[in-house]
Structures are given as structure tokens and as C-alpha cells.
Amino acid sequence: MQSQQSLFQGVWVPLVTPFSGGHVDGGALRRLVRHYVAAGVDGLVVCGSTGEAAALDDAEQLAVLDTVLTEAGDLPIVMGLAGNHQGHVLHRLTAFGTRPLAGILAPAPYYVRAGQEGAAAYFRCLADASRFPLVLYDIPYRTGTTLETPTLLALAAHPNISAIKDCGGSLDKTVALISDGQMNVLAGEDLQSLSAMCLGATGMIAAAAHVRPDLFVAMHRAVRAQRLDEARSLFHALAPVIQLVFGEPNPGPLKAELARQGLLSNELRLPMLPASEALAARLGAAVDALDRQFPAQGVTLRAA
């Protein structure tokens, strides 16, 4: 549906979940939301993998979602929904349905390895039951399920499946989904964001956009305006930061950098651990270098 698809473009930040003393830090979460709203991002994803959703119980996930919704104003919000127990997933979907969401981000059921037909049936069940459009999350290295191109193209025909977060690791599949045009393609691997957008992806869900989100927004706008020299300059400046953000398990490096910026405490829940001091220092130095190149007050590049 075009009205649904039009939402899923631009720069979306998959929010980290701040903790303090073992509990969700609502104050830090509100501070983060205000920060990204001010940066001009196009939407936020709550309780994705970057948000340590697997370490949050159902009540905590709803509390995080409600905090973000209250603070975000008119900014579109997508809620993550992962699981492998169909009844439990549908129960949670019902609870999410009472909130004003833009969509639901759903990966294939993990661990069970349902196969192509089983995964497709799972997604169709969610799409049929959801009040909001579904954003598929193709991420085989987390779920153990590789969604094949014919499966995704068939799912794209569902009227309530509007977009995909593409972490599938296949350029052929990315090109096929973009060419098909039935659903929007959002880059999910940050280092592939520029190339995917140049191929026709409508935007990105980028964990690294926690850091200097304004530059990611500027890169997307430059691509949309066909100012590709500008977009390339921004991407190459961001690339060292992106690489370090994923130098250790996500979101450890992100939280270390956001803590350095005073936005939250550097706290994660097991089995996730904080980033090593060495990586955190390298990331901080890379962000400082980026800030010197592009002062935070504004991005001033000449149009191509």
C-alpha cells in the first residue's frame, strides 16, 4: 500500500535501551528520543536487537515503548516483535495494537528453523493480525533462517507487508527486492547504506546513526537530491565510525560512546557486555575526528 510504504524511508534509528542499576532508565531514554527528534531522523525503532529486546520482559518492553511514544510526538515509531512461540507473539502483537505505531518490525522465528513455507506462514499470520504494516527483518545470522528471494517476493504481495530491513547479505536479493518495488527496502547493514540507496533503497535502519545522526540524515538527503559526490564524502567520513561501532557485539560500542557523550550510563544486560576500553577509546577518537571535520552545528558541503 503506497500510503504505508511512504512512511518507510529515510533514516531510522534502532534505539538502544538505557539501563541504570539493572533497571530501564526512563530519563535517559527520554533524553535519547529528544536528541534524535532534534537531529531530524525519520523514525525510531523500539526493542530491536540494538535495543537488547531479548533481555527485556514483556512489561519492560511495553514500558519502553510507551516512554518513547510519549516523548516522540509525531515521529513515526516501529516496534520490534521477535519470538518463536506463535501464541505468545500474537498476544504481544495484540498489546502493541493498542498503541499508535507506524509499524511492526518482525524477524523470522529464531532457533526453530521453520523453513521457507513455515517462515512465510508465520509472517502472513502476523500481517493478517496486525493493525499496523509489517516490516520484515531479514537477518539470517541472528535467526538461523535464510529468507530466499522467492519467499520475500511472495510476501511482498501481502497488502499489510510494506517494507523490509535488509540484512540478508545478498546483493542479488537486495537488487531483486528493489526492482520488484512491492515493498520498500531499508538498508540494515550500515556499511551498505549508501550503495543500497543508490540502487533504490528508500533509506536505512542504522544502529550507527546513534552517533552523529545529522550526518546520516544529510547523506540520505544528498542521495535523494542526486548530489552523489556529497553523499560519498559523508559516507567515507562516517565509515570509520561505522566499522568501530560494530567492532564488538552491538550495542556495546554504541553505549560506550553515548555514555562518553553523557546521554546514558554504559550499562548492558548479560549476556551482553560493555565494549572493551581499547575499542571505546578508538571509537571516541574516531567520533572526535568526525566532529572536527563536520562540526555538529551544521553540515556544509557543496552540492555536486
Side-chain angles (χ1 to χ4, degrees), residues 10 34 39 51 53 72 104 111 153 160-161 167 169 177 192 198 201 206 217 226 233 242 248 261 270 301-302:
R34 291 194 297 269
I104 298 290
Y111 183 75
L153 292 176
N160 203 32
I161 296 177
C167 299
L177 293 171
Q192 297 171 11
C198 288
V217 170
Q226 296 295 305
S233 294
I242 295 172
E248 291 178 8
Q261 297 178 17
L270 287 171
L301 284 176
R302 186 166 52 192

Side-chain angles (χ1 to χ4, degrees), residues 63-165:
V64 168
L65 175 59
D66 288 341
T67 299
V68 172
L69 286 169
T70 298
E71 200 65 45
D74 294 332
L75 194 70
I77 305 298
V78 162
M79 182 65 176
L81 177 61
N84 53 19
H85 184 291
Q86 189 89 22
H88 183 219
V89 170
L90 289 172
H91 176 75
R92 291 169 61 213
L93 182 62
T94 299
F96 299 158
T98 64
R99 274 71 175 176
L101 297 176
I104 298 290
L105 177 69
Y110 51 82
Y111 183 75
V112 295
R113 303 189 71 180
Q116 298 302 297
E117 292 184 7
Y122 172 83
F123 285 124
R124 288 192 182 101
C125 179
L126 294 187
D128 289 343
S130 178
R131 288 185 53 213
F132 312 109
L134 213 62
V135 179
L136 305 181
Y137 188 4
D138 184 18
I139 186 161
Y141 56 81
R142 286 189 182 273
T143 64
T145 296
T146 297
L147 298 170
E148 296 174 358
T149 302
T151 302
L152 291 171
L153 292 176
L155 287 169
H158 193 291
N160 203 32
I161 296 177
S162 297
I164 183 167
K165 180 181 179 182

Side-chain angles (χ1 to χ4, degrees), residues 193-300:
S193 58
L194 176 60
S195 57
M197 288 190 297
C198 288
L199 287 168
T202 57
M204 69 191 85
I205 300 176
H210 279 86
V211 181
R212 291 305 304 270
D214 57 322
L215 298 185
F216 284 86
V217 170
M219 179 174 66
H220 171 256
R221 291 176 180 172
V223 172
R224 289 288 300 272
Q226 296 295 305
R227 300 193 305 271
L228 297 186
D229 285 348
E230 179 179 334
R232 280 192 292 268
S233 294
L234 287 164
F235 176 79
H236 286 298
L238 287 164
V241 171
I242 295 172
Q243 290 167 325
L244 289 167
V245 161
F246 295 101
E248 291 178 8
N250 179 43
L254 275 178
K255 283 194 165 180
E257 176 57 25
L258 294 173
R260 189 179 77 101
Q261 297 178 17
L263 289 167
L264 47 68
S265 298
N266 188 18
E267 184 175 328
L268 294 88
R269 283 185 175 174
L270 287 171
M272 303 305 296
L273 293 173
S276 66
E277 291 184 5
L279 181 68
R282 291 173 61 202
L283 177 55
V287 173
D288 288 344
L290 184 64
D291 289 344
R292 288 192 294 272
Q293 185 176 1
F294 298 107
Q297 288 74 19
V299 180
T300 55

